[in-house]
Amino acid sequence: MLKSQSEWIANEILMHFRAGKKLANDVYLNDTLEIDKDGNPLTIEDTISSPDDLADNLETKIRWEKVAKIIEDMEDEREKEIIILRYGLHNKKPLTQREVAQRLNISRSYVSRIEKKVLKDIKRLAE
């Protein structure tokens, strides 16, 4: 009986090392790569994580697409052009109210009024 018990123990030890060998190539995100001078571990997750919140980025993209659609569907071409010029949409350089006024041959205050009205409309439609 003593021999079989020692064989059983040897077999258990062997199985333990075999199981460990299978897991030896596994890598986990919380595995420590190194320790900094203060004793804090640097993990794999620390090296690949991103400070950006994907949910926030997605929500911002969805909102922007909605606003872009509202602008594209605007019926008043002058209002549409003013917003495009002011905010540099369609890969254009954003212009000041004065520059927009000069380009469209209207007053700066008129550009300001239209811009304010359109932004209010966009905000209302985007909600």
Side-chain angles (χ1 to χ4, degrees):
M1 184 168 188
L2 189 57
K3 183 155 173 105
S4 69
Q5 187 176 12
S6 64
E7 287 176 353
W8 179 80
I9 292 172
N11 189 42
E12 287 294 317
I13 292 171
L14 185 59
M15 287 177 21
H16 171 75
F17 285 118
R18 282 184 183 156
K21 193 174 183 181
K22 286 181 185 177
L23 299 176
N25 293 328
D26 290 351
V27 178
Y28 300 94
L29 291 177
N30 61 352
D31 285 351
T32 300
L33 295 173
E34 61 182 39
I35 305 288
D36 68 10
K37 64 181 180 180
D38 297 326
N40 301 316
L42 175 66
T43 65
I44 294 172
E45 183 178 19
D46 294 334
T47 63
I48 62 172
S49 66
S50 170
D52 297 333
D53 183 354
L54 295 178
D56 286 344
N57 290 346
L58 181 59
E59 187 176 328
T60 301
K61 184 177 183 202
I62 291 169
R63 281 185 185 164
W64 171 244
E65 287 173 354
K66 192 172 187 179
V67 168
K69 175 89 172 101
I70 291 168
I71 292 170
E72 283 304 312
D73 293 344
M74 289 174 65
E75 293 178 9
D76 188 315
E77 288 300 317
R78 177 167 273 186
E79 290 179 357
K80 184 176 179 177
E81 186 175 11
I82 288 172
I83 291 301
I84 289 170
L85 292 173
R86 279 289 288 134
Y87 293 94
L89 306 178
H90 303 299
N91 296 318
K92 296 182 183 206
K93 177 183 165 244
L95 302 177
T96 64
Q97 288 180 348
R98 178 166 279 120
E99 291 169 328
V100 172
Q102 288 172 349
R103 183 174 286 191
L104 300 179
N105 204 22
I106 56 178
S107 71
R108 192 213 50 82
S109 62
Y110 187 54
V111 170
S112 178
R113 283 195 306 271
I114 290 177
E115 180 182 354
K116 185 176 178 181
K117 174 203 174 288
V118 171
L119 292 178
K120 185 178 174 184
D121 292 345
I122 290 172
K123 185 175 179 180
R124 180 180 48 81
L125 292 169
E127 291 178 341

